[in-house]
Amino acid sequence: MPPRTRGGYTSDAPRRRPTGSERRRRVHLREVDPVPDPDPVEHPQHDRDETEEVFEGAPGGPIDRSILRSFHKHVAAKIWLGEDRAPLKLVNHGAKLQLWELDMERSRIYETVHRSGLAPLTSCSHRVASRPMLSAFCERWQPETTTFHMPFGEMTITLDDVASILHIPVTGSMISFPQPLRVDDANALLVELLGTTDVEASRETEQCRSPSVRLLWLRDHFSTITDASSDDDIMFATRAFLLHLVGCTLFADKSATSVTVVYLELFRDLSMVGSYAWGAACLAYLYRQLTTATKFEVRQLGGYLTLLQAWIYEHFPEMFSSPDMSYTESRPRALRWRPHVIPDSLQSVRERLDRLQISEVCWEPYVDHRAEHPLPDIAWYSGCLKCGQVVEPYHPERVLRQFGYIQTIPPRPFTPPRPDRSILLEQYWERWTDHVLTDQSRGRRCHYSGSGESVPEYMAWYDRISHRIVQPPQLRSGFTTDARSSLPSHAASTSDTRAARALTLLRLVISGGREQSVDVFWGALNDAHGILAGSDETSASHSTPSPAPASHSTPSPATLPFFSPATFVYPPAASDDPPPLIVPPPPASVAPPAASGPPPPLIVPPPPASVAPPAPALDSTASTTVYVRAKRKKKT
C-alpha cells in the first residue's frame, strides 16, 4: 500500500516535510468559516478580510464594499481615522512652454504642429495651479470607478470635457507601444529621429538614469533652429518641439524635468501625427496619475493639470473660478479662466466640498460653446482608454447628469484588461461606434437644463457604496458639540452662498429657452424661493416650500421690496447677549401699554461692562444713538 503523506494523500514518492507556506495555509484554512464563499471571484478571501478589518474603525467608509474594494488603502480612509496629508506637490510646466515659442522665423515648424492638432496646447496651459484645490479633489477620486465621489453623486472628466477645454482631437488611432522602452533603444531613437550623436544620446540618458531626456536639453539643442536651416534640421527640430510639448502638457510625469523618449516614436512620420486620439490618451494618463495620488504615501501629482483645474473651474464656478471677460467661444475653454492660487487652506477646501450642495454645480457648462464645438459622439463611448502601457476604464453611464440626463443606478464598473493585450484594445477602440451608450441606456433627459436630477433610489444606493464625506465632523476646524447643536437651520450657508445657488438655478432654466413648459419655470422659481427663504428643499413635486421658522420676525427675502440677494443678511441666532446696535423687542411678560398717556419706554438689556449704560426713557432710535456716543466717548 502506498504511504500516506501528512496532507492525507497517497503517493509513491517518499515523505517530505511540509513547507512553511503549506503549514500557514493549513492554519489559515482551519481559521476560516467553513461556509463556502458564494462568489469567490468577485470577493477574494484576502481582500474581504483586509477590508473588514480596516473598516471596523472607519464608519465613514462605504457600507457595501463591492465597488470600492481598495478603499482601505485610500487617503480618504486615513483622513477619516484622524491622519492627515499635506497638499500635494504639483508638476506644472505652463511657464516652460513660453521658453520655446514658435514665432514668424519658425513658421515651417508651426505649420506641422498646427496640422497635428496639438497647436492649442501652446497657448491654453495654465502657468499656476492651486495645490489646496487639486489636492482636495484628489482625495475624492476613486480608482475603481474613475470618478470623483462628491456628497451628492459621482462626477468625472469626460471626453467632452477634454475636447471643449483643450480643443485637441479625441478620436483617431489609439496611442500604443509594443513594450516598455529600454535605454539602448532610447539612444537609438535619439540618433535616428533627432539627429544626435551616440555620445550625446548616451550622456543624456545616463544623466536622466532612464530612457528619458531633459526638457532643458531639448530647448538648448533645437530651439535656435529657424526656417533658414536645412530641411533635416527643421524636421529634427519639429520632432523635438512636439516631444517637448507633450512632455510639458499631456504626459507630464513626476520627474518634473524630463520626458520619456518613447513618445518620439509617434513623431516618426510627421504627416501622421494628427491621426492619433491625443485627447483620449491624455485622459487615460490623467486618470492613472489621480489613481496614484489617492495612496496616502504619495506626495506628488502629475498629468496635465490644466485640464483638471479648468474642469473644476467649469463645473464649480461659484466656488473657485475667476473668469476672463475677454474670452470668446472660438478659443479653448481653458482660456476662459484666470488661473490663480486660492487663499484657502487644504482643510478649508476639504470642508467646503463636504458641505457642497447639488445646486452649486454647473452640470452643463458648455451650452454656449456648442455652436463652435458640438458634443462629440465618442463622449458616449463606454470602454477603455489607453496610453502606452496605461489602460483605464471610462464610464459615462456613471455621470449622466453631466450630459443633461437623469442619473440612474449604473452597472458595476468593469476591470480593464492587461496592457499587453493591445490588439484587442485597439480593435475595441476602432469600433467605438458599436460601444456607445444607447438611447435606452441614457434614459430620460432632465426636466430642465442643468438641474442635476437623479432617480429617487439613486442616493440610497450611493450612500451604501460611496464615501461621501472625506472628514468626520469632529475633526473639522472650529467644531464643538454645543456650538454645532445650537446653530439655526440657516447658519450653514451665508446669504451670498444662498444667492449664488438661487441665481445658478435660475440661470440654468433661462438658458433652456422659451420652449420649456410653464411647470418647469414655476418649479425653478419655487426652488429658488426655497433656497433664499432658508429651506434647502427642492420642489421635486412642485410643492410650496416650507415657510421660514417663526423664531425670528424677519420677513422672507422674496417678500421684501427691491430685494437684493447680495445685501440680504439673515438674522443672527438667539443669544443671551445681543450684538451691539440691535435693540430687541420687549418680552412677552411685559404688561401691555395703558390706553392713555405716553407709551412706556422700551426695555433695553444692559450693554457689556466696558460700555457706559445708555440714558433711560428713550425710544429705540435714541437708545441706539446714545449707546454709540457713550462708547466713542470712553475710547477718547
Side-chain angles (χ1 to χ4, degrees), residues 141 146 282-293 301 389-393 416 419:
W141 180 262
T146 59
C282 170
L283 191 57
Y285 191 85
L286 181 59
Y287 280 2
R288 178 61 57 87
Q289 294 295 319
L290 288 170
T291 297
T292 304
L301 175 64
Q389 299 298 313
V390 175
V391 179
E392 292 291 336

Side-chain angles (χ1 to χ4, degrees), residues 175-397:
I175 294 180
S176 180
F177 308 113
Q179 58 186 0
L181 193 66
R182 299 180 302 177
V183 175
D184 295 339
D185 299 331
N187 294 336
L189 278 178
L190 293 175
V191 173
E192 179 185 2
L193 300 181
L194 294 186
T196 62
T197 63
D198 292 333
V199 177
E200 291 176 339
S202 300
R203 185 187 302 116
E204 182 60 25
T205 53
E206 288 177 2
Q207 183 169 352
C208 294
R209 299 180 181 179
S210 64
S212 305
V213 294
R214 292 171 297 153
L215 300 172
L216 177 62
W217 182 83
L218 292 173
R219 293 194 300 267
D220 291 344
H221 283 72
F222 300 97
S223 62
T224 57
I225 296 178
T226 63
D227 292 343
S229 304
S230 63
D231 293 343
D232 290 342
D233 290 341
I234 293 177
M235 182 175 57
F236 295 150
T238 303
R239 291 175 179 149
F241 181 86
L242 290 171
L243 181 62
H244 182 272
L245 181 62
V246 298
C248 289
T249 55
L250 305 183
F251 312 127
D253 57 28
K254 291 191 286 186
S255 68
T257 58
S258 61
V259 56
T260 179
V261 183
V262 70
Y263 300 115
L264 195 59
E265 186 67 39
L266 303 174
F267 310 130
R268 178 182 293 274
D269 187 355
L270 293 176
S271 63
M272 297 297 294
V273 178
S275 64
Y276 293 107
W278 294 104
C282 170
L283 191 57
Y285 191 85
L286 181 59
Y287 280 2
R288 178 61 57 87
Q289 294 295 319
L290 288 170
T291 297
T292 304
T294 59
K295 300 178 180 178
F296 183 76
E297 63 274 8
V298 175
R299 297 292 183 266
Q300 201 171 10
L301 175 64
Y304 195 20
L305 300 185
T306 294
L307 173 60
L308 175 59
Q309 184 165 256
W311 179 85
I312 296 174
Y313 290 160
E314 292 285 352
H315 290 83
F316 307 93
E318 305 294 342
M319 295 183 63
F320 305 107
S321 63
S322 176
D324 185 357
M325 305 308 295
S326 63
Y327 170 78
T328 57
E329 294 296 341
S330 60
R331 299 187 294 168
R333 294 283 286 201
L335 298 175
R336 184 189 178 197
W337 310 103
R338 296 182 182 272
H340 62 286
V341 178
I342 61 175
D344 299 341
S345 63
L346 174 58
Q347 175 70 16
S348 176
V349 179
R350 187 183 293 157
E351 294 179 9
R352 292 174 66 185
L353 292 180
D354 281 343
R355 296 191 301 264
L356 191 66
Q357 301 292 329
I358 191 172
S359 57
E360 299 178 75
V361 181
C362 183
W363 293 100
E364 298 179 73
Y366 312 120
V367 175
D368 298 334
H369 199 61
R370 293 305 184 198
E372 298 287 341
H373 207 85
L375 173 68
D377 294 335
I378 200 172
W380 291 106
Y381 161 80
S382 180
C384 288
L385 305 177
K386 191 172 187 292
C387 176
Q389 299 298 313
V390 175
V391 179
E392 292 291 336
Y394 176 73
H395 300 292
E397 63 273 10

